[in-house]
Each structure stands twice: as structure tokens, then as C-alpha cells.
Amino acid sequence: MWWGVAAALLANTLYSLGFVLEKRALTSLPEVTIRQPARLLRLVLGSPLWIGGSLSLAAGFAAQLVVYRTLPIAAAQGIFVSGLVLLVLLSARLLGEETSGRERYALGAILLALLMVVLSLREGSDSVSQEAPYPLILLVCVPSLAAGVWLYGSAERRTRNRHRRPTTGVEYGVAVGLLYGVSSLAIKGVSSHLTTSGIGGAVLDLLSSPYPYLLLFTGVFGLVMSQAALQRCRASLIVPVCTTVTSLFTAVLGTLSFGEALPDEPLRLALRVAGTTLAVAVLLTMPKHDSAPQEPAPAKELASP
């Protein structure tokens, strides 16, 4: 179990560093858009800083495979969301981003919510399931992917409105979070097929499952969508929103899909339900618009004597 905790903390560090490096690279690139995916890929692949960030994210993905083999889904998500604090610190240090007081309170509430979920766990009594019915996985994932793509497209249409207010990126974060939630379930499924014996049979079994194809879809669309959103919005807000949606999606639907039972004890069950409810409530009340920068007041004319 402690190997899983260490891997989750390592994944946190790698993911936070990767997002910050990609954001820093994107700020120096021309504007990218999902309507020109080939141009987007050409621009980001020409940036050494962005490539460094993507390699950090890939290493975080590898660490996540270890996590899902050793920890229950809900416990893993609780540790993953704790990485938001590191992300905010790195964003302030390396990107010069500042969060409002309301947003800092929201991040604190999110961490409290996920702490409640973690406290609802008990070593030895929480099972780590490795299998889920494929029809159930598709029933959960396909509508979620459609909802994420639709929500992202809706946010994009609003950004083309010349009279729009500056957006914080909450809608972008929710949309990408849904895709990454599906990706997280697919990673959990792939981890169940990892084995050191009978590798050929394991590969064939994996290819006959929906997991590699879900990873391919979320990898391609998630890359394009997340980079365009990350360039427009603050990493210190969009990534926490994305992470919260991903974690809640995975903790709730992943737990049900993979058959990892909820706590039997009333206190532990109350902590898990209350933590999930608090995180959702905070997400729904987060500001959707940045304050428009105030224009300097005109200088007063000096009265003639």
C-alpha cells in the first residue's frame, strides 16, 4: 500500500510540473485552436519546453498505473487532488499567476472535501478491484465523452463573442476533466492487464478490451482541447477544476463500475458522501468569469487660476 502512496505523490509532482511547463511554453506561442489541430501540434512539438512538460506528464501516467494496482480508486483520487496545492505554488512561482481570495477558499474547501474522502478509507477493509464489465464501462464512458466534447464546443462558441466577459476557464476545466475521467478509468483497466507472465496473452486480452481505444480517444482529443484551454486560461484555476472533475468522476463512477464497495460503517460512509457533495458544491459555485481589468481613470484637468 505504501508503494501506491509514494507513486501517487510522485505522480502529483510530475503532473503539476508538466502542466506548468506546458502553460509556460504556450504563453510564448501564437494562439492555438481546436479548429486547427495540425497547426496546434506543429507549434507545440516545436517547443522544447512543451516537450519537457509532456514528458513529465507521461512519467506521471506511468506512476498512475502503479497507483491503481495498489490503492482503491477513491483513495487514489484523494491523494491526486492533494497535488492541487503544489500546482498553485508552482503556478505562482513560475508563471506569476495570482488567485483571488474566493478561489483560494474554494481550493481549500476542495482539499477538505477530498480529505474527508481519504479519512473514510481503512487499510485492509477496502478492496482493490481489477475487473469491470465492458458494457458497463462503455455505458459510463461514451456519454461522458460526448458531454465533454459538447461542453467544450459550447465554451468555444461563447469565446468567439466579441462582447463576452473574460472567462476563468471553469467550463473548459469541466469538459477536459470529463475526458480525463474516462482516461483515468481506462488507465485503471489497463493496469489490471499488466502482468509479468503470459505477456502475449495479456496483450491480446488488453486489445480485446475497450481500454486502449478509450485511451487513444482521450489522449488525442484531450491533448488538443487541453492545450487550447491552457493557453487561454490560468493554469492555477483550470487545472484544479479539471482535476476535481476527474477525481470525482473516477472516485464515484469508477468505484461503482469496478465494484469496490462503499464503507459499511455509518461514519465512514458519511465522510465519503459528504466529501463528494462538498467538492461538487464548490465546483458549481466557483466564478466563471475573471474580473475585467479596470481602465485607468482620466486625469483631472487643472483649473485655470
Side-chain angles (χ1 to χ4, degrees), residues 1-12 63-82 117-118 121-131 184-185 187-189 191-192 250-251 254-255 258-261 272:
M1 180 175 182
W2 292 111
W3 278 108
V5 173
L9 294 174
L10 176 61
N12 278 350
Q64 197 173 354
L65 288 174
V66 177
V67 174
Y68 282 140
R69 288 191 65 85
T70 55
L71 292 179
I73 291 175
Q77 300 314 306
I79 299 174
F80 287 148
V81 172
S82 68
V117 173
V118 172
L121 301 168
R122 175 175 295 174
E123 186 175 3
S125 62
D126 291 291
S127 59
V128 181
S129 177
Q130 303 294 340
E131 295 291 340
S184 189
L185 291 188
I187 294 172
K188 168 70 174 177
S191 71
S192 67
T250 308
T255 296
F258 284 88
E260 295 182 353
R272 192 165 301 183

Side-chain angles (χ1 to χ4, degrees), residues 113 116-117 248 252 270-284:
M116 294 168 69
V117 173
L248 289 174
V252 176
L271 283 171
R272 192 165 301 183
V273 173
T276 302
T277 303
L278 175 60
V280 172
V282 171
L283 178 65
L284 293 176

Side-chain angles (χ1 to χ4, degrees), residues 182-201:
V182 171
S183 178
S184 189
L185 291 188
I187 294 172
K188 168 70 174 177
V190 169
S191 71
S192 67
H193 290 81
L194 296 179
T195 178
T196 56
S197 61
I199 297 178

Side-chain angles (χ1 to χ4, degrees), residues 113-289:
L114 271 297
L115 175 62
M116 294 168 69
V117 173
V118 172
L119 290 176
S120 72
L121 301 168
R122 175 175 295 174
E123 186 175 3
S125 62
D126 291 291
S127 59
V128 181
S129 177
Q130 303 294 340
E131 295 291 340
Y134 294 161
L136 179 59
I137 289 294
L138 292 175
L139 182 63
V140 168
C141 293
V142 173
S144 301
L145 292 174
V149 172
W150 176 83
L151 182 60
Y152 193 98
S154 177
E156 280 285 284
R157 287 190 293 273
R158 276 191 286 275
T159 61
R160 293 198 289 270
N161 182 357
R162 299 175 63 182
H163 304 290
R164 66 181 177 87
R165 294 173 60 192
T167 180
T168 58
V170 170
E171 290 175 305
Y172 287 120
V174 172
V176 177
L178 287 173
L179 262 71
Y180 284 166
V182 171
S183 178
S184 189
L185 291 188
I187 294 172
K188 168 70 174 177
V190 169
S191 71
S192 67
H193 290 81
L194 296 179
T195 178
T196 56
S197 61
I199 297 178
V203 170
L204 291 176
D205 188 33
L206 177 62
L207 292 177
S208 65
S209 75
Y211 301 125
Y213 311 106
L214 289 173
L215 275 178
L216 179 63
F217 182 92
T218 55
V220 173
F221 278 80
L223 172 64
V224 175
M225 291 165 59
S226 64
Q227 298 312 300
L230 196 58
Q231 188 182 57
R232 295 188 182 98
C233 310
R234 283 181 288 131
S236 56
L237 183 68
I238 190 173
V239 176
V241 171
C242 175
T243 302
T244 302
V245 173
T246 299
S247 296
L248 289 174
F249 180 96
T250 308
V252 176
L253 296 181
T255 296
L256 295 176
S257 300
F258 284 88
E260 295 182 353
L262 293 173
D264 295 327
E265 301 172 20
L267 178 58
R268 295 174 60 216
L269 179 60
L271 283 171
R272 192 165 301 183
V273 173
T276 302
T277 303
L278 175 60
V280 172
V282 171
L283 178 65
L284 293 176
T285 57
M286 288 185 76
K288 295 181 174 57
H289 300 281

